Every structure is written in structure tokens, then in C-alpha cells.
Amino acid sequence: TNITTKSETVIYNRINKCGSSTLLTLLSGIMYKNQINLALQGSPPHRFFLDGQKTEMAEMACSGQTALISRYFFYTDLREFGCDPRYFTLMRDPVQRFHSRYRFNREFLPNLNNPKMIRASKGRSKNINSCISSSHHECAYSGT
């Protein structure tokens, strides 16, 4: 039989443009006051785990500390590594999410003064309606 350890860690599996930054801002004060650690915060270049990383995450989650592991990654069942944390994901209506990403890419990214983003903004559609009706690459769904 497989023995799993119940964990006080909660894993927040984030989804782009679904309010995760806002949620973490709201939780940060509560977490600080209650001495809850935050681990793996950020946007990794890939959403899957490399060899050995699942084991490391299970060890971190079952270390005995109360923590929130927050990251954009594909669901990983840590019970196969002997750890049984709680998971949650915040989801959003797909149309609202699409609109949020469209506005984010137009309003926020160009302000980063990143040359790549500035070049990408040159061929944009005039508005969201023309973007969708013309199947412009800016409005192509990529699944993330």
C-alpha cells in the first residue's frame, strides 16, 4: 500500500488572466500575519516538471510547514510521491478571459518598453471586433 502524508500546504495552480495576481495580493497580508510561506511564485518558461522536480515539490509540500505553492503548471498528483496537499485553481469565463488577455496585451505589455513587444504591436488589428472577424493572429486562441 502507498502511504501518503497529509500536508498543510495548499497548491494554487494558476491560469493566465484569471485573477491570480489579484488573489495573491489579497492573500499576502493574511499569509504574512499567519506566518504562511509562499513558494514557487512566478511564471516559469514551461508548465511541466523536469525529472526530479515532482519529487522536490512533494518534499517541499510535505515538509511540515504551512505554505502556499503558487505557480502556472500542469496538474501534478503528488500522492504518487507520498504527499497529499490540497489544490485549488481560480477559473474564469472563457470570453471574459479572452477579452482580458486582449486588453492586457494592448495596454500593459507595450508599456514595458520591451523592443520585442513594441515590434509585435505594429501589426495589430484596429479593434477587437476586426481582430476576431478577420481571424487576425493577435486573436488566435493558443490554449493558454
Side-chain angles (χ1 to χ4, degrees):
T1 62
N2 287 344
I3 298 172
T4 57
T5 302
K6 283 285 187 193
S7 173
E8 292 299 314
T9 293
V10 175
I11 296 179
Y12 178 21
N13 191 356
R14 297 173 67 178
I15 298 174
N16 293 10
K17 308 313 306 158
C18 288
S20 57
S21 296
T22 301
L23 180 63
L24 288 173
T25 298
L26 293 170
L27 289 176
S28 64
I30 296 167
M31 291 172 58
Y32 178 78
K33 183 178 179 182
N34 291 288
Q35 299 178 341
I36 298 171
N37 297 313
L38 177 63
L40 296 180
Q41 172 66 358
S43 297
H46 48 77
R47 293 173 184 256
F48 57 89
F49 290 99
L50 301 174
D51 292 339
Q53 290 180 324
K54 290 180 184 180
T55 304
E56 289 180 29
M57 191 163 101
E59 290 170 357
M60 182 187 311
C62 279
S63 67
Q65 294 184 1
T66 303
L68 174 67
I69 295 176
S70 167
R71 188 97 178 244
Y72 298 99
F73 56 83
F74 296 131
Y75 171 76
T76 302
D77 188 356
L78 295 182
R79 289 178 295 184
E80 66 183 274
F81 300 94
C83 184
D84 191 13
R86 291 168 283 177
Y87 296 84
F88 80 96
T89 300
L90 183 62
M91 296 169 57
R92 189 174 192 179
D93 173 81
V95 174
Q96 290 177 356
R97 182 173 176 245
F98 171 82
H99 186 249
S100 176
R101 175 176 290 285
Y102 179 85
R103 292 190 56 213
F104 177 82
N105 287 343
R106 288 184 164 250
E107 297 170 14
F108 179 74
L109 290 180
N111 294 330
L112 295 178
N113 293 321
N114 179 322
K116 181 180 176 185
M117 295 299 164
I118 292 169
R119 280 193 307 275
S121 69
K122 300 236 188 258
R124 290 194 171 146
S125 59
K126 292 182 180 178
N127 59 51
I128 194 167
N129 293 328
S130 68
C131 186
I132 295 168
S133 64
S134 68
S135 301
H136 194 273
H137 69 85
E138 180 183 12
C139 290
Y141 176 72
S142 66
T144 57

